[in-house]
PDB file of all heavy atoms in Angstrom:
ATOM      1  N   VAL A 884      14.096  18.567 -79.308  1.00 96.00           N
ATOM      2  CA  VAL A 884      14.050  17.309 -80.085  1.00 96.00           C
ATOM      3  C   VAL A 884      14.872  17.450 -81.367  1.00 96.00           C
ATOM      4  O   VAL A 884      14.949  18.497 -81.974  1.00 96.00           O
ATOM      5  CB  VAL A 884      12.529  16.957 -80.433  1.00 96.00           C
ATOM      6  CG1 VAL A 884      11.830  18.071 -81.236  1.00 96.00           C
ATOM      7  CG2 VAL A 884      12.437  15.623 -81.123  1.00 96.00           C
ATOM      8  N   ILE A 885      15.518  16.352 -81.688  1.00 97.00           N
ATOM      9  CA  ILE A 885      16.305  16.357 -82.947  1.00 97.00           C
ATOM     10  C   ILE A 885      15.759  15.260 -83.843  1.00 97.00           C
ATOM     11  O   ILE A 885      15.524  14.135 -83.438  1.00 97.00           O
ATOM     12  CB  ILE A 885      17.768  15.956 -82.585  1.00 97.00           C
ATOM     13  CG1 ILE A 885      18.418  17.025 -81.642  1.00 97.00           C
ATOM     14  CG2 ILE A 885      18.592  15.956 -83.907  1.00 97.00           C
ATOM     15  CD1 ILE A 885      19.806  16.676 -81.203  1.00 97.00           C
ATOM     16  N   LEU A 886      15.470  15.673 -85.059  1.00 95.00           N
ATOM     17  CA  LEU A 886      14.915  14.773 -86.048  1.00 95.00           C
ATOM     18  C   LEU A 886      15.738  14.732 -87.302  1.00 95.00           C
ATOM     19  O   LEU A 886      16.418  15.734 -87.649  1.00 95.00           O
ATOM     20  CB  LEU A 886      13.509  15.274 -86.432  1.00 95.00           C
ATOM     21  CG  LEU A 886      12.403  15.300 -85.432  1.00 95.00           C
ATOM     22  CD1 LEU A 886      11.120  15.896 -86.157  1.00 95.00           C
ATOM     23  CD2 LEU A 886      12.078  13.921 -84.864  1.00 95.00           C
ATOM     24  N   ARG A 887      15.627  13.619 -88.027  1.00 96.00           N
ATOM     25  CA  ARG A 887      16.229  13.565 -89.344  1.00 96.00           C
ATOM     26  C   ARG A 887      15.082  14.087 -90.318  1.00 96.00           C
ATOM     27  O   ARG A 887      13.909  13.911 -90.093  1.00 96.00           O
ATOM     28  CB  ARG A 887      16.562  12.150 -89.785  1.00 96.00           C
ATOM     29  CG  ARG A 887      17.744  11.658 -88.976  1.00 96.00           C
ATOM     30  CD  ARG A 887      18.426  10.422 -89.670  1.00 96.00           C
ATOM     31  NE  ARG A 887      19.584  10.059 -88.925  1.00 96.00           N
ATOM     32  CZ  ARG A 887      20.801  10.583 -89.061  1.00 96.00           C
ATOM     33  NH1 ARG A 887      20.959  11.634 -89.837  1.00 96.00           N
ATOM     34  NH2 ARG A 887      21.809  10.199 -88.300  1.00 96.00           N
ATOM     35  N   GLU A 888      15.465  14.661 -91.385  1.00 96.00           N
ATOM     36  CA  GLU A 888      14.596  15.097 -92.460  1.00 96.00           C
ATOM     37  C   GLU A 888      13.603  13.991 -92.736  1.00 96.00           C
ATOM     38  O   GLU A 888      14.046  12.841 -92.943  1.00 96.00           O
ATOM     39  CB  GLU A 888      15.412  15.446 -93.717  1.00 96.00           C
ATOM     40  CG  GLU A 888      15.320  16.868 -94.141  1.00 96.00           C
ATOM     41  CD  GLU A 888      16.014  17.183 -95.431  1.00 96.00           C
ATOM     42  OE1 GLU A 888      17.091  16.633 -95.621  1.00 96.00           O
ATOM     43  OE2 GLU A 888      15.481  17.909 -96.259  1.00 96.00           O
ATOM     44  N   GLY A 889      12.345  14.362 -92.912  1.00 95.00           N
ATOM     45  CA  GLY A 889      11.353  13.379 -93.287  1.00 95.00           C
ATOM     46  C   GLY A 889      10.670  12.734 -92.085  1.00 95.00           C
ATOM     47  O   GLY A 889       9.599  12.068 -92.238  1.00 95.00           O
ATOM     48  N   GLU A 890      11.183  12.898 -90.879  1.00 96.00           N
ATOM     49  CA  GLU A 890      10.565  12.265 -89.698  1.00 96.00           C
ATOM     50  C   GLU A 890       9.452  13.194 -89.194  1.00 96.00           C
ATOM     51  O   GLU A 890       9.359  14.352 -89.523  1.00 96.00           O
ATOM     52  CB  GLU A 890      11.601  12.016 -88.636  1.00 96.00           C
ATOM     53  CG  GLU A 890      12.570  10.916 -88.937  1.00 96.00           C
ATOM     54  CD  GLU A 890      13.556  10.634 -87.875  1.00 96.00           C
ATOM     55  OE1 GLU A 890      13.876  11.535 -87.047  1.00 96.00           O
ATOM     56  OE2 GLU A 890      14.063   9.430 -87.824  1.00 96.00           O
ATOM     57  N   ASP A 891       8.588  12.615 -88.318  1.00 96.00           N
ATOM     58  CA  ASP A 891       7.499  13.372 -87.751  1.00 96.00           C
ATOM     59  C   ASP A 891       7.777  13.768 -86.315  1.00 96.00           C
ATOM     60  O   ASP A 891       8.582  13.138 -85.642  1.00 96.00           O
ATOM     61  CB  ASP A 891       6.209  12.526 -87.774  1.00 96.00           C
ATOM     62  CG  ASP A 891       5.832  12.014 -89.159  1.00 96.00           C
ATOM     63  OD1 ASP A 891       6.274  12.665 -90.110  1.00 96.00           O
ATOM     64  OD2 ASP A 891       5.116  11.042 -89.242  1.00 96.00           O
ATOM     65  N   ALA A 892       7.142  14.860 -85.873  1.00 96.00           N
ATOM     66  CA  ALA A 892       7.287  15.272 -84.529  1.00 96.00           C
ATOM     67  C   ALA A 892       5.974  15.744 -83.883  1.00 96.00           C
ATOM     68  O   ALA A 892       5.093  16.213 -84.689  1.00 96.00           O
ATOM     69  CB  ALA A 892       8.354  16.400 -84.383  1.00 96.00           C
ATOM     70  N   VAL A 893       5.814  15.614 -82.627  1.00 97.00           N
ATOM     71  CA  VAL A 893       4.679  16.164 -81.902  1.00 97.00           C
ATOM     72  C   VAL A 893       5.216  17.035 -80.762  1.00 97.00           C
ATOM     73  O   VAL A 893       6.030  16.607 -79.999  1.00 97.00           O
ATOM     74  CB  VAL A 893       3.773  15.103 -81.379  1.00 97.00           C
ATOM     75  CG1 VAL A 893       2.580  15.652 -80.637  1.00 97.00           C
ATOM     76  CG2 VAL A 893       3.326  14.094 -82.441  1.00 97.00           C
ATOM     77  N   ILE A 894       4.671  18.253 -80.700  1.00 97.00           N
ATOM     78  CA  ILE A 894       5.035  19.118 -79.563  1.00 97.00           C
ATOM     79  C   ILE A 894       3.735  19.412 -78.808  1.00 97.00           C
ATOM     80  O   ILE A 894       2.737  19.731 -79.367  1.00 97.00           O
ATOM     81  CB  ILE A 894       5.600  20.441 -80.121  1.00 97.00           C
ATOM     82  CG1 ILE A 894       6.860  20.219 -80.911  1.00 97.00           C
ATOM     83  CG2 ILE A 894       5.925  21.432 -79.020  1.00 97.00           C
ATOM     84  CD1 ILE A 894       7.409  21.353 -81.672  1.00 97.00           C
ATOM     85  N   ASN A 895       3.889  19.285 -77.502  1.00 97.00           N
ATOM     86  CA  ASN A 895       2.611  19.449 -76.659  1.00 97.00           C
ATOM     87  C   ASN A 895       2.757  20.665 -75.788  1.00 97.00           C
ATOM     88  O   ASN A 895       3.876  21.159 -75.443  1.00 97.00           O
ATOM     89  CB  ASN A 895       2.551  18.215 -75.725  1.00 97.00           C
ATOM     90  CG  ASN A 895       2.384  16.951 -76.437  1.00 97.00           C
ATOM     91  OD1 ASN A 895       1.421  16.812 -77.236  1.00 97.00           O
ATOM     92  ND2 ASN A 895       3.286  15.997 -76.171  1.00 97.00           N
ATOM     93  N   CYS A 896       1.600  21.222 -75.522  1.00 96.00           N
ATOM     94  CA  CYS A 896       1.431  22.433 -74.735  1.00 96.00           C
ATOM     95  C   CYS A 896       0.363  22.242 -73.743  1.00 96.00           C
ATOM     96  O   CYS A 896      -0.807  21.994 -74.108  1.00 96.00           O
ATOM     97  CB  CYS A 896       1.118  23.621 -75.676  1.00 96.00           C
ATOM     98  SG  CYS A 896       0.725  25.181 -74.823  1.00 96.00           S
ATOM     99  N   SER A 897       0.737  22.236 -72.422  1.00 96.00           N
ATOM    100  CA  SER A 897      -0.253  21.908 -71.387  1.00 96.00           C
ATOM    101  C   SER A 897      -0.410  23.089 -70.430  1.00 96.00           C
ATOM    102  O   SER A 897       0.545  23.709 -70.054  1.00 96.00           O
ATOM    103  CB  SER A 897       0.265  20.654 -70.594  1.00 96.00           C
ATOM    104  OG  SER A 897       0.296  19.544 -71.362  1.00 96.00           O
ATOM    105  N   SER A 898      -1.686  23.209 -70.012  1.00 93.00           N
ATOM    106  CA  SER A 898      -2.009  24.299 -69.077  1.00 93.00           C
ATOM    107  C   SER A 898      -2.646  23.732 -67.862  1.00 93.00           C
ATOM    108  O   SER A 898      -3.351  22.748 -67.874  1.00 93.00           O
ATOM    109  CB  SER A 898      -2.968  25.249 -69.797  1.00 93.00           C
ATOM    110  OG  SER A 898      -3.571  26.215 -68.895  1.00 93.00           O
ATOM    111  N   SER A 899      -2.501  24.467 -66.766  1.00 91.00           N
ATOM    112  CA  SER A 899      -3.146  24.051 -65.481  1.00 91.00           C
ATOM    113  C   SER A 899      -4.522  24.766 -65.358  1.00 91.00           C
ATOM    114  O   SER A 899      -5.213  24.470 -64.406  1.00 91.00           O
ATOM    115  CB  SER A 899      -2.258  24.374 -64.340  1.00 91.00           C
ATOM    116  OG  SER A 899      -1.992  25.730 -64.311  1.00 91.00           O
ATOM    117  N   LYS A 900      -4.823  25.644 -66.329  1.00 89.00           N
ATOM    118  CA  LYS A 900      -6.080  26.364 -66.260  1.00 89.00           C
ATOM    119  C   LYS A 900      -6.809  26.249 -67.556  1.00 89.00           C
ATOM    120  O   LYS A 900      -6.188  25.828 -68.582  1.00 89.00           O
ATOM    121  CB  LYS A 900      -5.820  27.863 -65.988  1.00 89.00           C
ATOM    122  CG  LYS A 900      -5.167  28.155 -64.688  1.00 89.00           C
ATOM    123  CD  LYS A 900      -5.319  29.593 -64.213  1.00 89.00           C
ATOM    124  CE  LYS A 900      -4.589  30.561 -65.148  1.00 89.00           C
ATOM    125  NZ  LYS A 900      -4.617  31.935 -64.584  1.00 89.00           N
ATOM    126  N   ALA A 901      -8.114  26.467 -67.532  1.00 87.00           N
ATOM    127  CA  ALA A 901      -8.973  26.349 -68.755  1.00 87.00           C
ATOM    128  C   ALA A 901      -8.449  27.338 -69.799  1.00 87.00           C
ATOM    129  O   ALA A 901      -8.076  28.499 -69.473  1.00 87.00           O
ATOM    130  CB  ALA A 901     -10.402  26.650 -68.484  1.00 87.00           C
ATOM    131  N   LEU A 902      -8.458  26.927 -71.039  1.00 86.00           N
ATOM    132  CA  LEU A 902      -7.934  27.726 -72.134  1.00 86.00           C
ATOM    133  C   LEU A 902      -9.065  28.324 -73.024  1.00 86.00           C
ATOM    134  O   LEU A 902     -10.042  27.576 -73.318  1.00 86.00           O
ATOM    135  CB  LEU A 902      -7.049  26.870 -73.039  1.00 86.00           C
ATOM    136  CG  LEU A 902      -5.738  26.297 -72.339  1.00 86.00           C
ATOM    137  CD1 LEU A 902      -5.078  25.281 -73.269  1.00 86.00           C
ATOM    138  CD2 LEU A 902      -4.809  27.420 -71.972  1.00 86.00           C
ATOM    139  N   TYR A 903      -8.876  29.502 -73.431  1.00 86.00           N
ATOM    140  CA  TYR A 903      -9.825  30.105 -74.381  1.00 86.00           C
ATOM    141  C   TYR A 903      -9.304  29.973 -75.803  1.00 86.00           C
ATOM    142  O   TYR A 903     -10.059  29.850 -76.762  1.00 86.00           O
ATOM    143  CB  TYR A 903      -9.937  31.595 -74.078  1.00 86.00           C
ATOM    144  CG  TYR A 903     -10.924  31.849 -72.900  1.00 86.00           C
ATOM    145  CD1 TYR A 903     -10.573  31.398 -71.660  1.00 86.00           C
ATOM    146  CD2 TYR A 903     -12.104  32.583 -73.114  1.00 86.00           C
ATOM    147  CE1 TYR A 903     -11.448  31.576 -70.577  1.00 86.00           C
ATOM    148  CE2 TYR A 903     -12.981  32.766 -72.012  1.00 86.00           C
ATOM    149  CZ  TYR A 903     -12.629  32.291 -70.796  1.00 86.00           C
ATOM    150  OH  TYR A 903     -13.483  32.498 -69.732  1.00 86.00           O
ATOM    151  N   SER A 904      -7.981  29.990 -76.009  1.00 89.00           N
ATOM    152  CA  SER A 904      -7.421  29.817 -77.286  1.00 89.00           C
ATOM    153  C   SER A 904      -6.010  29.473 -77.156  1.00 89.00           C
ATOM    154  O   SER A 904      -5.351  29.635 -76.089  1.00 89.00           O
ATOM    155  CB  SER A 904      -7.523  31.181 -78.094  1.00 89.00           C
ATOM    156  OG  SER A 904      -6.687  32.193 -77.503  1.00 89.00           O
ATOM    157  N   VAL A 905      -5.410  28.883 -78.296  1.00 93.00           N
ATOM    158  CA  VAL A 905      -4.015  28.523 -78.292  1.00 93.00           C
ATOM    159  C   VAL A 905      -3.442  29.096 -79.638  1.00 93.00           C
ATOM    160  O   VAL A 905      -4.020  28.842 -80.686  1.00 93.00           O
ATOM    161  CB  VAL A 905      -3.805  27.024 -78.222  1.00 93.00           C
ATOM    162  CG1 VAL A 905      -2.282  26.773 -78.319  1.00 93.00           C
ATOM    163  CG2 VAL A 905      -4.380  26.488 -76.972  1.00 93.00           C
ATOM    164  N   HIS A 906      -2.355  29.778 -79.521  1.00 94.00           N
ATOM    165  CA  HIS A 906      -1.577  30.167 -80.735  1.00 94.00           C
ATOM    166  C   HIS A 906      -0.325  29.340 -80.746  1.00 94.00           C
ATOM    167  O   HIS A 906       0.236  28.927 -79.758  1.00 94.00           O
ATOM    168  CB  HIS A 906      -1.115  31.672 -80.587  1.00 94.00           C
ATOM    169  CG  HIS A 906      -2.223  32.710 -80.639  1.00 94.00           C
ATOM    170  ND1 HIS A 906      -2.029  33.903 -81.164  1.00 94.00           N
ATOM    171  CD2 HIS A 906      -3.449  32.664 -80.084  1.00 94.00           C
ATOM    172  CE1 HIS A 906      -3.176  34.682 -81.021  1.00 94.00           C
ATOM    173  NE2 HIS A 906      -4.025  33.943 -80.389  1.00 94.00           N
ATOM    174  N   TRP A 907       0.155  29.128 -82.039  1.00 95.00           N
ATOM    175  CA  TRP A 907       1.511  28.499 -82.211  1.00 95.00           C
ATOM    176  C   TRP A 907       2.378  29.429 -83.094  1.00 95.00           C
ATOM    177  O   TRP A 907       1.917  29.938 -84.103  1.00 95.00           O
ATOM    178  CB  TRP A 907       1.333  27.141 -82.864  1.00 95.00           C
ATOM    179  CG  TRP A 907       0.843  26.063 -81.965  1.00 95.00           C
ATOM    180  CD1 TRP A 907      -0.395  25.623 -81.803  1.00 95.00           C
ATOM    181  CD2 TRP A 907       1.640  25.299 -81.044  1.00 95.00           C
ATOM    182  NE1 TRP A 907      -0.522  24.610 -80.864  1.00 95.00           N
ATOM    183  CE2 TRP A 907       0.785  24.457 -80.397  1.00 95.00           C
ATOM    184  CE3 TRP A 907       3.002  25.293 -80.658  1.00 95.00           C
ATOM    185  CZ2 TRP A 907       1.218  23.509 -79.412  1.00 95.00           C
ATOM    186  CZ3 TRP A 907       3.449  24.384 -79.731  1.00 95.00           C
ATOM    187  CH2 TRP A 907       2.568  23.522 -79.103  1.00 95.00           C
ATOM    188  N   TYR A 908       3.638  29.528 -82.598  1.00 96.00           N
ATOM    189  CA  TYR A 908       4.598  30.405 -83.339  1.00 96.00           C
ATOM    190  C   TYR A 908       5.887  29.662 -83.449  1.00 96.00           C
ATOM    191  O   TYR A 908       6.271  28.750 -82.657  1.00 96.00           O
ATOM    192  CB  TYR A 908       4.888  31.693 -82.518  1.00 96.00           C
ATOM    193  CG  TYR A 908       3.732  32.635 -82.506  1.00 96.00           C
ATOM    194  CD1 TYR A 908       2.696  32.429 -81.520  1.00 96.00           C
ATOM    195  CD2 TYR A 908       3.619  33.799 -83.339  1.00 96.00           C
ATOM    196  CE1 TYR A 908       1.562  33.228 -81.477  1.00 96.00           C
ATOM    197  CE2 TYR A 908       2.584  34.635 -83.248  1.00 96.00           C
ATOM    198  CZ  TYR A 908       1.508  34.349 -82.395  1.00 96.00           C
ATOM    199  OH  TYR A 908       0.429  35.204 -82.358  1.00 96.00           O
TER     200      TYR A 908
END
Side-chain angles (χ1 to χ4, degrees):
Chain A
V884 59
I885 300 174
L886 295 177
R887 291 199 177 277
E888 242 183 317
E890 290 182 335
D891 302 340
V893 180
I894 300 171
N895 299 305
C896 174
S897 295
S898 168
S899 57
K900 300 198 292 187
L902 299 172
Y903 281 63
S904 67
V905 180
H906 293 216
W907 284 97
Y908 292 79

